[in-house]
């Protein structure tokens, strides 16, 4: 039989299961035949606790999984340092850190506030690059990376090769608009957050938005360099029992003969 390959690496954001211990998450991810975990900095791997990060890194790789990234809560606030975040990422063996671009929508950011965010991100990208770690924006409302135009502007203004973006479907918009948003920033996207919300923040099973996701993945597959990781997040009811079946859906979508 011809071997199947994935256009992206299927993985899991540990924040999907904040109430579970890392060991439980590792066991669930391995059982679900995922390949990688992004460890979150709010509960599982607090920034600066390098001993904990190193222990979780060993447990992850011992289970045959990769640490694909570190999901930080660095917000590019004035004077905020990324050093402790990078310390934990390095101890995890993560070569990418997810970060947040401020705490305000792009349309509401005053020019001075926006300029401060850009300056902090530029310094953070330089520091991360010195450690051979990339940074990636959380594509999210409540930040100045809340849409394709905002992300493209921010990437251009920071102008550092260490900075890319994540992408996830915006809430409450049609499949066509979702696809247009992804298409605009796809070339700058290093990972996808994979979940199905509809019509607003109601959590659905992945297959309930299959048409949308298959179109997104077709675009990703056609890129010269597709996003590296497709990371499951936001399961209905945060139910660990759904991970195996949702992983099977994702892996089937990612498979290319």
């Amino acid at each position: 039989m011809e071997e199947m390959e994935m256009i992206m690496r299927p993985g899991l954001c540990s924040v999907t299961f904040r109430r579970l211990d890392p060991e439980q998450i590792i066991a669930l991810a391995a059982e679900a035949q995922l390949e990688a975990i992004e460890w979150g900095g709010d509960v599982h791997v607090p920034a600066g606790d390098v001993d904990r990060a190193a222990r979780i890194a060993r447990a992850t790789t011992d289970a045959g999984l990769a640490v694909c990234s570190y999901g930080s809560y660095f917000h590019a606030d004035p004077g905020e340092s990324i050093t402790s975040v990078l310390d934990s990422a390095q101890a995890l063996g993560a070569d990418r850190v997810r970060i947040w671009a401020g705490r305000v929508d792009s349309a509401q950011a005053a020019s001075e506030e926006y300029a401060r965010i850009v300056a902090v991100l530029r310094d953070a990208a330089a520091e991360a690059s010195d450690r051979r770690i990339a940074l990636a924006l959380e594509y999210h409302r409540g930040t100045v990376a809340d849409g394709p135009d905002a992300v493209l502007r921010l990437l251009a203004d920071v102008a550092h090769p260490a900075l890319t973006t994540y992408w996830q479907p915006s809430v409450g918009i049609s499949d066509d608009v979702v696809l247009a948003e992804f298409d605009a920033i796809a070339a700058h996207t290093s990972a996808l957050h994979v979940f199905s919300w509809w019509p607003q923040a109601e959590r659905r099973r992945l297959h309930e938005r299959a048409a949308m996701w298959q179109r997104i993945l077709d675009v990703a597959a056609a890129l010269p360099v597709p996003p590296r990781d497709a990371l499951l997040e936001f399961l209905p009811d945060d139910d660990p029992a759904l991970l195996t079946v949702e992983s099977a859906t994702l892996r089937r979508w990612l498979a290319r003969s």
Side-chain angles (χ1 to χ4, degrees), residues 110-121:
S111 58
E112 297 84 359
E113 182 174 12
Y114 178 79
R116 285 196 298 269
I117 293 169
V118 168
V120 174
L121 288 177

Side-chain angles (χ1 to χ4, degrees), residues 72-138:
S72 83
Y73 290 86
F74 176 84
H75 277 269
D77 291 327
E80 185 179 10
S81 171
I82 200 170
T83 300
S84 63
V85 168
L86 296 176
D87 290 342
S88 287
Q90 201 158 39
L92 274 170
D95 63 357
R96 183 180 65 224
V97 174
R98 178 170 53 87
I99 60 172
W100 299 68
R103 300 176 186 268
V104 62
D105 291 341
S106 59
Q108 305 302 319
S111 58
E112 297 84 359
E113 182 174 12
Y114 178 79
R116 285 196 298 269
I117 293 169
V118 168
V120 174
L121 288 177
R122 188 178 294 128
D123 289 344
E127 185 175 347
S129 182
D130 286 344
R131 300 202 197 191
R132 298 186 178 182
I133 295 173
L135 303 181
L137 301 167
E138 172 80 6

Side-chain angles (χ1 to χ4, degrees), residues 195-214:
F195 56 86
S196 291
W197 286 9
W198 190 257
Q200 294 294 322
E202 295 84 358
R203 298 187 184 190
R204 309 289 187 183
R205 297 279 298 280
L206 282 186
H207 72 268
E208 295 183 69
R209 298 201 78 182
M212 178 197 75
W213 275 113
Q214 287 169 346

Side-chain angles (χ1 to χ4, degrees), residues 20 134 174:
L20 299 184
S174 70

Side-chain angles (χ1 to χ4, degrees), residues 9-34:
R9 183 168 54 177
L12 174 70
C13 294
S14 78
V15 297
T16 306
F17 300 124
R18 284 186 170 96
R19 61 187 174 85
L20 299 184
D21 293 333
E23 293 76 13
Q24 294 173 293
I25 293 170
I26 291 167
L28 284 167
E31 182 180 3
Q33 300 181 55
L34 295 170

